[in-house]
Amino acid sequence: MTSSAPETSALPVVLLVDGRPSTFARSVLDRDDVHIVLLRFTSALKDLPQEYLDRTAHLPVFLAEDDRLAEEAERYLQWVGTLEHVPTYFCNPQEPHQEVAQPFAALVGLPHLTQQQVEWVRHKTAMKDRFAELGLRCAAYRRVESLAEVGRFAEEQGWPVIVKPMDSFACIGTYRIDGPDELARVPELAPDRRWMAEEYIRGTEYQLCALVFGGKVVDAYLSLNPVPILEVLEGAINANITYAPGEELPLDVRSVCQELVDGFGLDHGYFHAECFLMEDGTLCVGEAAARITGCEVLANHGLSRGFDIHRATLDTYLGRTPDLTYAEDRAVGDLLLPVTPGRVVSLSTEEELLRLPGVLGVQLKLAVGDIAAPPRASHASSGFAHVAGATAAEVEQRMQNVLEHFTIETEPVTS
């Protein structure tokens, strides 16, 4: 990463990439110790609801076309000269925008990932090549262009196998194929995307997160996935559970994160990785990313320790040492609530769910009368609940209780 330019404002000014609204973005908007300038790419406008657009209407916004970055950078440099507060810091919390956001930041002289770093943290084959160079175990893989090639890979590697786009996220376009007879149920690979097949890894899946400042992991956090993330697409429990600070962890998360941060040459910001702990105790690294993790994992870390992790995260992008004063010692997870397609005719209320043991908060995205059209993605839900407990195991038990009490009923939508 490059270093930032000298300040031009009494308060730090950050250019924030604005995509699908998140708890992190909403937290940043509430701060009074930083000036925010928003960078939106035209490809992301569809993900911004009107309520969010109204909330951010008072902020300076630069709208850039994804496919003409050089011209847009020149236009930005002219535009930003008209602002009272000129950004000298940059933060992109959005996974899908790495390939346009980081080069844009480079063109306008802001801190950024290099092209090589973007490849490592965005494209899964380059990522796995880097894991291998660092001596870390990862799944065997092969670039493929057709389902026939997927089948040949599986014949050599063994079934089941995973097929997915090289730049996918949230399991979008990702499939587990258990045998040759199942190839027919997978959509043919679109020729306008790059695809890969990889070995299916059996083990317990974890998420590793870290706050990085000055190239060092200042703290790291471990989350358990009750089932491998890919299984949530088939209806399994969809949750992330952050271990309590006082719990004994199954792996040295800080050490693993530091090794990856060093290997990827990251200087600051939020780091995220996914891994599997095998039955023989060895670690298999799945993926890594230089951006904020999805769902409510970030909030889980803060709630489990009783500190403002959203503030601490942004501070690492602002050249500030994050405040890691912790006031809690508990496990906390986010449970994504099930959703079924159709018009919602009945739905559990937030008040009903808040009465259940361990539930700290609930946010529903749907109401009776709304039409649900969930995508085939790991973040598809009707809302989420934050659930706390003394340990990760207790949180998982309480989540199962929430699922037993939660109800959603839909009816087909007729034209």
Side-chain angles (χ1 to χ4, degrees):
M1 292 187 180
T2 62
S3 59
S4 60
E7 283 289 332
T8 58
S9 169
L11 295 180
V13 187
V14 61
L15 183 64
L16 178 70
V17 179
D18 200 25
R20 189 162 57 92
S22 65
T23 305
F24 171 76
R26 296 178 188 277
S27 172
V28 170
L29 296 177
D30 289 337
R31 292 180 63 158
D32 59 6
D33 62 341
V34 60
H35 295 299
I36 304 296
V37 177
L38 297 177
L39 171 61
R40 289 174 180 159
F41 291 97
T42 52
S43 61
L45 292 180
K46 64 182 184 302
D47 297 322
L48 299 175
Q50 189 59 50
E51 169 271 329
Y52 181 78
L53 294 174
D54 293 341
R55 180 176 179 179
T56 56
H58 65 290
L59 295 173
V61 177
F62 186 81
L63 180 61
E65 294 185 23
D66 304 53
D67 57 356
R68 50 194 307 269
L69 291 183
E71 296 91 335
E72 295 293 64
E74 291 183 9
R75 188 167 64 85
Y76 168 87
L77 291 173
Q78 294 177 350
W79 173 80
V80 80
T82 68
L83 300 183
E84 180 181 1
H85 305 295
V86 177
T88 55
Y89 296 98
F90 179 73
C91 177
N92 173 37
Q94 305 286 336
E95 169 76 7
H97 302 316
Q98 290 282 38
E99 292 162 291
V100 291
Q102 300 297 342
F104 183 89
L107 289 167
V108 300
L110 293 175
H112 61 277
L113 297 177
T114 67
Q115 182 178 350
Q116 178 65 84
Q117 288 173 314
V118 171
E119 285 288 314
W120 286 339
V121 301
R122 182 74 176 114
H123 293 284
K124 303 184 190 305
T125 54
M127 184 188 300
K128 293 180 185 298
D129 288 345
R130 187 57 176 163
F131 292 157
E133 292 170 357
L134 298 174
L136 298 170
R137 180 178 177 180
C138 62
Y141 78 90
R142 180 179 301 166
R143 296 177 178 85
V144 294
E145 296 183 356
S146 68
L147 292 178
E149 291 184 13
V150 174
R152 287 194 288 273
F153 172 81
E155 290 171 1
E156 299 172 14
Q157 186 63 42
W159 301 93
V161 295
I162 304 296
V163 61
K164 57 188 174 184
M166 287 167 53
D167 61 350
S168 181
F169 69 102
C171 296
I172 298 172
T174 302
Y175 295 86
R176 168 181 163 171
I177 307 173
D178 290 326
D181 294 342
E182 290 196 4
L183 281 172
R185 74 175 179 86
V186 178
E188 189 56 61
L189 309 186
D192 60 341
R193 301 193 72 179
R194 295 187 289 174
W195 295 83
M196 63 184 291
E198 69 176 12
E199 170 191 11
Y200 177 73
I201 300 297
R202 292 178 171 85
T204 304
E205 188 168 5
Y206 296 94
Q207 298 188 53
L208 300 81
C209 298
L211 294 178
V212 181
F213 186 74
K216 300 299 181 183
V217 171
V218 292
D219 208 351
Y221 313 97
L222 184 67
S223 291
L224 167 71
N225 292 115
V227 301
I229 293 175
L230 196 56
E231 293 185 17
V232 308
L233 299 180
E234 308 302 326
I237 181 174
N238 193 353
N240 315 276
I241 305 172
T242 298
Y243 282 85
E247 281 192 83
E248 182 178 353
L249 302 182
L251 57 95
D252 187 346
V253 59
R254 184 192 287 261
S255 176
V256 175
C257 285
Q258 187 66 64
E259 186 172 5
L260 287 164
V261 165
D262 289 343
F264 284 31
L266 302 177
D267 176 71
H268 65 274
Y270 193 94
F271 176 77
H272 171 69
E274 298 165 2
C275 68
F276 291 86
L277 194 61
M278 316 293 283
E279 292 183 358
D280 62 4
T282 59
L283 188 70
C284 180
V285 184
E287 298 181 3
R291 46 80 181 165
I292 294 166
T293 181
C295 298
E296 290 296 305
V297 176
L298 182 65
N300 296 340
H301 301 331
L303 290 168
S304 76
R305 286 155 172 77
F307 83 116
D308 191 343
I309 193 169
H310 299 97
R311 174 176 290 270
T313 297
L314 184 64
D315 281 350
T316 65
Y317 291 91
L318 301 178
R320 296 173 172 172
T321 303
D323 181 2
L324 303 183
T325 303
Y326 298 153
E328 293 281 359
D329 184 357
R330 59 185 178 180
V332 177
D334 65 304
L335 172 66
L336 274 66
L337 300 170
V339 61
T340 53
R343 180 176 286 104
V344 179
V345 295
S346 67
L347 181 70
S348 294
T349 66
E350 294 181 4
E351 291 73 17
E352 291 170 342
L353 298 176
L354 284 169
R355 289 195 288 267
L356 299 176
V359 177
L360 300 177
V362 178
Q363 182 174 316
L364 296 177
K365 299 188 294 185
L366 296 172
V368 172
D370 289 346
I371 296 176
R376 186 183 180 278
S378 61
H379 56 64
S381 71
S382 59
F384 65 85
H386 281 299
V387 183
T391 64
E394 182 177 58
V395 170
E396 185 175 352
Q397 292 174 349
R398 289 177 167 180
M399 286 178 168
Q400 293 290 357
N401 182 53
V402 172
L403 291 175
E404 290 173 5
H405 285 82
F406 177 77
T407 60
I408 181 172
E409 182 181 353
T410 59
E411 63 182 9
V413 177
T414 58
S415 56

